[in-house]
């Protein structure tokens, strides 16, 4: 579904991505782990067209989308949930969800999808008329994921969904990511500092260090790898 070839991205003269390669198959959960500043967020921003790469290729469903505008990429079904949630704080929960479906015109399906996200996150149904900015951090993350689901993603990019959340909420978020993948068949590309949780739900993983992919394997093999345990799992 998604193939990255020799991707290089710069901020001015500073090279953030140094020729990375990765691929994601339809229906997979793939995680990218690494330390702060490794280039994980830049990878997502490059894929989604927010920070265009200088070199390399991004292939989505067989089509080269390198350099394509971010809004056009969204219309192709690649949807990103950014780090820090970035919901519309002055809009209600329901209005945030409506914004997620902005490019759609299938009213009956939109209504069905909204009911689905309310089933995934019952607290959002309870707070559907409440302003997004008044929600807790965990509820805002639930809303950010739900807003992305309303766009009917073929592939969902998640940037640090557990950041700053209480452990019980973190577990709930990861359970929901796995459920979305299994029930909807949605392909997921997950950037996450909580490597242990990410690798537990992923099919495959990549390790990034200073702008380069240094390791890739099945998630179970990475969980068992001594170097990964020492560097990212605190073991």
């Amino acid at each position: 579904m998604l193939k990255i070839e020799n991707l290089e991205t710069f901020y001015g003269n500073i090279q953030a991505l140094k020729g990375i390669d990765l691929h994601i198959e339809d229906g997979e959960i793939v995680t990218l782990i690494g330390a702060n500043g490794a280039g994980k967020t830049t990878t997502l921003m490059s894929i989604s067209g927010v920070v265009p790469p200088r070199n390399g290729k991004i292939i989505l469903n067989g089509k080269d989308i390198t350099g394509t505008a971010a809004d056009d990429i969204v219309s192709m079904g690649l949807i990103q949930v950014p780090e820090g949630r970035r919901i519309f704080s002055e809009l209600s929960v329901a209005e945030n969800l409506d914004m997620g479906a902005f490019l759609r015109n299938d009213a009956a399906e939109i209504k069905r999808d909204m009911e689905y996200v309310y089933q995934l996150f019952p607290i959002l149904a309870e707070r559907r008329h409440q302003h997004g900015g008044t929600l807790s951090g965990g509820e805002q993350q639930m809303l950010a994921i739900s807003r992305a689901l309303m766009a009917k993603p073929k592939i969902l990019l998640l940037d640090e969904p557990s950041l700053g959340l209480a452990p019980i909420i973190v577990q709930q978020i990861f359970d929901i990511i796995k459920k979305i993948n299994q029930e909807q068949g949605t392909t997921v590309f997950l950037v996450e500092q909580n490597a242990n949780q990410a690798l537990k739900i992923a099919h495959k993983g990549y390790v990034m260090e200073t702008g380069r992919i240094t390791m890739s394997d099945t998630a179970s093999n990475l969980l068992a790898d001594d170097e990964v345990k020492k560097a990212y799992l605190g073991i």
Side-chain angles (χ1 to χ4, degrees):
M1 174 168 278
L2 183 67
K3 187 175 183 180
I4 309 301
E5 297 178 347
N6 194 34
L7 202 66
E8 297 183 348
T9 300
F10 290 73
Y11 294 103
N13 293 323
I14 299 172
Q15 187 171 4
L17 300 182
K18 303 171 183 177
I20 67 169
D21 296 277
L22 59 85
H23 68 275
I24 300 171
E25 302 293 340
D26 187 16
E28 280 188 323
I29 299 177
V30 175
T31 188
L32 179 64
I33 63 174
N36 273 335
K40 304 186 303 298
T41 292
T42 301
T43 300
L44 294 190
M45 291 295 194
S46 296
I47 293 169
S48 60
V50 177
V51 183
R54 190 173 296 181
N55 297 304
K57 285 186 178 181
I58 304 167
I59 312 294
L60 178 64
N61 284 323
K63 181 178 181 179
D64 188 344
I65 64 167
T66 316
T68 302
D71 54 334
D72 290 331
I73 291 174
V74 168
S75 69
M76 297 174 190
L78 189 149
I79 312 296
Q80 180 173 343
V81 179
E83 181 181 350
R85 298 136 191 143
R86 300 190 188 183
I87 61 164
F88 300 107
S89 59
E90 297 301 316
L91 298 183
S92 70
V93 167
E95 288 167 338
N96 268 273
L97 296 178
D98 283 336
M99 289 300 293
F102 182 76
L103 293 177
R104 298 174 57 183
N105 54 18
D106 49 342
E109 287 291 322
I110 290 172
K111 183 178 180 181
R112 192 174 298 120
D113 288 342
M114 190 170 290
E115 289 306 315
Y116 176 71
V117 299
Y118 283 149
Q119 289 172 19
L120 283 178
F121 300 110
I123 191 66
L124 296 183
E126 294 177 23
R127 305 196 192 289
R128 67 181 72 192
H129 302 300
Q130 190 170 320
H131 281 185
T134 65
L135 302 177
S136 69
E139 290 164 355
Q140 288 187 16
Q141 186 62 67
M142 295 173 190
L143 179 56
I145 293 172
S146 297
R147 182 181 61 185
L149 292 177
M150 290 301 298
K152 218 170 182 63
K154 295 175 182 174
I155 179 167
L156 183 63
L157 277 54
L158 297 169
D159 194 358
E160 303 285 5
S162 75
L163 189 66
L165 303 183
I168 190 169
I169 302 298
V170 169
Q171 185 60 58
Q172 186 178 357
I173 293 294
F174 279 103
D175 288 345
I176 290 296
I177 293 169
K178 188 173 181 180
K179 188 174 184 179
I180 292 166
N181 172 255
Q182 292 176 339
E183 290 186 354
Q184 301 291 307
T186 305
T187 305
V188 177
F189 187 29
L190 171 65
V191 160
E192 181 56 59
Q193 278 195 18
N194 190 333
N196 187 49
Q197 286 281 10
L199 289 169
K200 282 181 178 177
I201 68 165
H203 301 98
K204 183 170 65 187
Y206 290 87
V207 178
M208 174 171 270
E209 296 177 13
T210 59
R212 291 186 172 89
I213 300 294
T214 57
M215 191 182 301
S216 64
D217 208 332
T218 64
S220 57
N221 283 348
L222 289 176
L223 270 172
D225 185 273
D226 288 339
E227 289 184 25
V228 174
K229 285 181 180 180
K230 183 177 179 181
Y232 303 109
L233 304 182
I235 299 174

